[in-house]
């Protein structure tokens, strides 16, 4: 079966001739590279992939007519990846200079490298129950450290709405248009984050401390990537990442989860996480120290337990309005 047979076709209205100014300026995409991934055991591929989407309007990740589209800047160049998840396999097609790298990385992105075989669910009935209902939960990895780090920096100390909006604007304005027949214009992250001017960060609504952290990290990108990839443990990666000014343990943990699929990472310092974990496991709020203590019996799988808690629906009732986003652009 060809790619044309399993990928959604353009809507009839999209095939009508468009004015010259509105036409796609890119050359024809050409045929993609293709492969398929057949997991050795059943895994929840859709949930593993969804964890890497930065908001509903992420210009680098979307789903259209049953196909998941992702754009990334791989070590070999920009790649567009189209994934159709079926019952026993994942069919993949890729375009662009990084297509071969993206296809080779598909199993890890889908969570194939995550091994929960020694995960003991006996420490709490809620965890055991949710794991029983979701035994296919896996933590996927992108193997792209710097983009994971930048997306985590965007989310420091702001609401998701603010972070995702800034991510969308920076990628759309400064990123590279994705190759291939994407269902809408999509963009890869910028190649040179440190060359983005200050007024562009300001227009996107990213706070100055975050933009300065991204720019400073980008100047040390090669050495940080080498050191983090060579690190032997999560603690070693924390030491590498937190050596960057403006990067703390929360940002490091979020980066480890996204880039390396770290099943033990705990995002200490999160605005809501400790409260959610405490309420689910004890019925009342705890602070970060209390959360770390509660998760200790599952060391090695603490991020897995957190994801199971998020799936449990055991959330503390809201007692007030959501945090209102702040906009520094009017100051």
């Amino acid at each position: 079966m060809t790619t044309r047979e399993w990928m959604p076709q353009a809507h009839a209205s999209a095939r009508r001739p468009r004015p010259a100014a509105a036409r796609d300026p890119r050359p024809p995409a050409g045929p993609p590279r293709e492969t398929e991934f057949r997991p050795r055991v059943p895994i929840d591929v859709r949930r593993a992939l969804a964890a890497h989407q930065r908001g509903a309007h992420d210009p680098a990740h979307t789903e259209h007519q049953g196909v998941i589209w992702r754009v990334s800047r791989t070590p070999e160049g920009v790649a567009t990846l189209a994934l159709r998840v079926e019952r026993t396999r994942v069919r993949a097609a890729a375009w662009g200079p990084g297509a071969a790298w993206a296809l080779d990385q598909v199993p890890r992105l889908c969570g194939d490298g995550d091994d929960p075989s020694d995960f003991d669910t006996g420490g709490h009935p809620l965890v055991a129950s949710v794991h029983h209902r979701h035994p296919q939960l896996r933590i996927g990895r992108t193997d792209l450290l710097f983009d994971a780090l930048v997306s985590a920096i965007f989310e420091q100390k702001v609401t998701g709405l603010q972070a995702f909006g800034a991510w969308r604007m920076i990628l759309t304005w400064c990123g590279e248009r994705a190759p291939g027949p994407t269902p809408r214009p999509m963009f890869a992250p910028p190649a040179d984050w440190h060359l983005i001017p200050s007024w562009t960060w300001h227009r996107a609504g990213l706070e100055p401390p975050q933009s300065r952290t991204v720019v400073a990290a980008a100047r040390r990108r090669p050495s940080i990537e080498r050191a983090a990839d060579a690190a032997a443990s999560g603690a070693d990666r924390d030491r590498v990442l937190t050596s960057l000014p403006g990067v703390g343990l929360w940002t490091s943990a979020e980066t480890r989860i996204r880039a390396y699929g770290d099943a033990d990472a705990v995002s200490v310092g999160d605005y809501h996480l400790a409260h959610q974990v405490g309420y689910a496991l004890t019925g009342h709020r705890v602070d970060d120290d209390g959360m770390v203590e509660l998760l200790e019996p599952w060391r090695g799988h603490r991020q897995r337990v957190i994801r199971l808690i998020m799936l449990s629906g055991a959330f503390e009732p809201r007692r007030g309005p959501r945090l209102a986003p702040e906009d520094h652009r009017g100051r």
Side-chain angles (χ1 to χ4, degrees):
M1 186 179 293
T2 66
T3 309
R4 182 171 293 276
E5 291 172 303
W6 68 263
M7 284 179 55
Q9 300 304 302
H11 190 271
S13 62
R15 295 196 294 268
R16 296 184 189 128
R18 292 175 292 172
R23 290 176 187 158
D24 190 337
R26 300 171 304 162
R33 292 174 177 257
E34 296 184 61
T35 191
E36 65 177 39
F37 163 53
R38 293 181 178 268
R40 296 163 293 177
V41 296
I43 60 178
D44 190 342
V45 172
R46 286 191 174 278
R47 201 176 297 278
L49 293 171
H52 297 291
Q53 183 173 6
R54 314 325 307 160
H57 305 289
D58 187 346
H61 185 124
T62 192
E63 182 170 351
H64 179 71
Q65 296 182 13
V67 175
I68 298 168
W69 294 83
R70 280 186 55 81
V71 184
S72 55
R73 184 175 295 279
T74 79
E76 297 174 6
V78 173
T80 297
L81 187 64
L83 300 163
R84 182 179 286 280
V85 181
E86 299 178 354
R87 189 172 63 86
T88 61
R89 65 179 177 175
V90 178
R91 307 185 66 182
W95 295 261
W101 187 96
L103 292 178
D104 182 66
Q105 203 268 337
V106 164
R108 298 185 295 281
L109 180 66
C110 293
D112 188 55
D114 181 25
D115 181 12
S117 58
D118 62 343
F119 177 45
D120 182 5
T121 63
H124 195 281
L126 176 70
V127 175
S129 173
V130 181
H131 181 66
H132 179 74
R133 298 198 306 271
H134 299 278
Q136 301 171 352
L137 176 71
R138 296 294 186 276
I139 302 173
R141 55 185 290 169
T142 65
D143 292 316
L144 297 171
L145 171 72
F146 196 77
D147 290 344
L149 174 61
V150 170
S151 68
I153 293 171
F154 270 57
E155 296 167 28
Q156 292 175 343
K157 301 179 181 178
V158 296
T159 66
L161 184 66
Q162 290 171 280
F164 298 155
W167 175 258
R168 181 178 69 252
M169 292 176 192
I170 291 295
L171 263 62
T172 302
W173 296 339
C174 307
E176 184 173 338
R177 181 73 181 267
T182 56
R184 58 176 172 81
M186 298 180 69
F187 298 85
D192 300 306
W193 289 94
H194 60 291
L195 299 182
I196 298 174
S198 59
W199 55 87
T200 300
W201 295 111
H202 182 79
R203 285 179 59 211
L206 197 71
E207 296 279 352
Q210 278 85 340
S211 62
R212 287 195 294 266
T213 298
V214 172
V215 170
R219 294 193 177 108
R220 294 176 55 188
R221 177 173 182 169
S223 61
I224 290 295
E225 289 178 328
R226 286 194 301 269
D229 288 343
S233 67
D236 290 339
R237 287 189 174 124
D238 277 342
R239 281 189 283 273
V240 171
L241 294 172
T242 57
S243 70
L244 294 166
V247 174
L249 288 175
W250 182 91
T251 305
S252 179
E254 290 291 310
T255 303
R256 287 161 47 202
I257 295 164
R258 301 170 194 186
Y260 300 111
D262 192 329
D264 192 49
V266 180
S267 302
V268 174
D270 190 273
Y271 187 78
H272 298 289
L273 184 60
H275 298 165
Q276 292 172 333
V277 170
Y279 184 83
L281 297 181
T282 69
H284 58 81
R285 288 186 172 195
V286 297
D287 58 12
D288 281 332
D289 290 340
M291 174 179 67
V292 171
E293 183 178 353
L294 286 171
L295 294 174
E296 183 60 31
W298 295 287
R299 179 169 287 275
H301 296 277
R302 293 178 295 178
Q303 178 58 211
R304 193 183 318 283
V305 171
I306 290 170
R307 294 207 176 182
L308 290 171
I309 288 173
M310 297 300 109
L311 287 174
S312 72
F315 300 131
E316 183 180 20
R318 294 190 180 276
R319 294 185 172 85
R322 290 178 178 271
L323 182 66
E326 294 184 5
D327 191 342
H328 75 277
R329 288 172 291 187
R331 294 174 189 164

